[in-house]
Amino acid sequence: MKKSKVPVFIPIILAGINAAASAWYLSTVEAEIIPTHYDLYMNPDQYGSKWTLMFFSGMILLLSVFFIVYRATIGKRANNTKNIRYENPFFLIITLVFCGINWFLMLTSTGAIAPDRSWLPALTIVLGLLMLLYGNISGKIKQNFNFGIKFKSTLRNRTVWKKAHRLSGVLCCIGGVIMIICGIIGFFASGLQLPLFAGSLILTLLAGLAIPTIYAAKLYKELGDDGSYEELFAKADSDTQQAEEQEEN
């Protein structure tokens, strides 16, 4: 098993710094009531206390805590540790993206930057890069209960799991490239920013997730059950028993 180069505690440190910095920034804002929600045309349609903006940074911190708990419990099982080198970096990048969105929301609501759609092309490119990242690791993910496309068809046949995730990886990479191109176009076509963002995101999600799921179901009908589901359960039960014995000792 190859260990991840990204320590599991890095995301929670970043989330904690983000939450502390967010609280400090909001304490410097003079206005107590600020816009907390915008419509599709970026006009404010809801107002509230500036401290409601701490909700998102708090959720990022809570999510990182859950990841630590997951890695210390369920993530220790044999079928999950195989994917540590993929899960840890992926979650770190997700945390960084969420922190970026958190600061964009705060700066927009407090009037530090203009509330318009000029940010959509950048978001489209960032999400496209995330799709490229997932597409690159999708075909390498080992069969498990927690990370990847998890349905009866993929969990009950190892071949179906591999082929479905390889297909998902290829389609996510293609979708990621399309999103990046759409994001670049959006910088020069302000009137198309929302359609380009929504259209490319929906297309990529359908291609990268829905199509492989349908393909896996069809392939499973042909290949049937190969016993891998029972093998995963046996490993999980064995890991749980070993953990309990270590705690008792």
Side-chain angles (χ1 to χ4, degrees):
M1 180 191 71
K2 294 183 179 180
K3 294 184 178 180
S4 172
K5 295 181 180 180
V6 179
V8 68
F9 55 82
I10 295 298
I12 195 170
I13 292 176
L14 290 174
I17 293 174
N18 174 71
S22 299
W24 172 82
Y25 173 75
L26 290 175
S27 70
T28 66
V29 176
E30 295 182 359
E32 291 296 328
I33 304 299
I34 60 175
T36 56
H37 189 270
Y38 293 84
D39 60 21
L40 288 176
Y41 302 97
M42 298 307 295
N43 297 314
D45 55 8
Q46 290 183 19
Y47 293 82
S49 169
K50 64 181 180 180
W51 295 107
T52 59
L53 296 178
M54 285 295 299
F55 175 79
F56 193 58
S57 58
M59 290 300 296
I60 298 172
L61 184 59
L62 184 62
L63 187 62
S64 63
V65 171
F66 283 156
F67 185 71
I68 292 283
V69 174
Y70 157 75
R71 181 55 65 210
T73 54
I74 300 175
K76 282 188 174 181
R77 294 175 178 174
N79 59 307
N80 297 321
T81 54
K82 297 175 183 177
N83 296 311
I84 287 179
R85 54 179 167 161
Y86 308 125
E87 289 182 357
N88 288 8
F90 190 75
F91 186 76
L92 172 61
I93 293 174
I94 291 293
T95 302
L96 289 171
V97 171
F98 281 174
C99 288
I101 294 174
N102 171 69
W103 278 95
F104 170 78
L105 293 174
M106 284 199 303
L107 294 175
T108 300
S109 295
T110 56
I113 59 177
D116 54 33
R117 293 180 181 172
S118 60
W119 52 273
L120 272 178
L123 180 61
T124 306
I125 292 174
V126 170
L127 293 179
L129 291 173
L130 275 178
M131 289 298 177
L132 280 175
L133 172 64
Y134 176 77
N136 183 56
I137 67 175
S138 178
K140 304 173 185 176
I141 300 173
K142 304 300 181 182
Q143 198 176 27
N144 71 98
F145 291 119
N146 305 304
F147 189 48
I149 302 174
K150 305 177 297 299
F151 292 99
K152 174 183 177 181
S153 54
T154 55
L155 291 174
R156 289 188 173 276
N157 190 295
R158 190 171 289 106
T159 300
V160 175
W161 174 281
K162 290 180 180 179
K163 290 188 175 182
H165 281 80
R166 285 173 183 169
L167 176 61
S168 177
V170 171
L171 294 177
C172 280
C173 284
I174 294 174
V177 172
I178 292 174
M179 291 191 72
I180 292 172
I181 294 173
C182 287
I184 294 173
I185 294 174
F187 282 117
F188 304 97
S190 59
L192 296 176
Q193 289 173 348
L194 183 59
L196 286 171
F197 168 74
S200 61
L201 179 60
I202 292 173
L203 175 65
T204 302
L205 291 177
L206 286 176
L209 299 177
I211 293 178
T213 300
I214 296 172
Y215 168 73
K218 181 178 180 181
L219 188 60
Y220 177 71
K221 287 183 179 179
E222 299 176 2
L223 300 179
D225 194 333
D226 68 352
S228 57
Y229 188 72
E230 288 73 14
E231 183 180 341
L232 284 175
F233 256 122
K235 286 183 178 179
D237 291 340
S238 175
D239 293 335
T240 301
Q241 184 178 357
Q242 290 178 8
E244 290 176 351
E245 291 175 354
Q246 290 177 358
E247 290 177 359
E248 290 177 358
N249 297 330

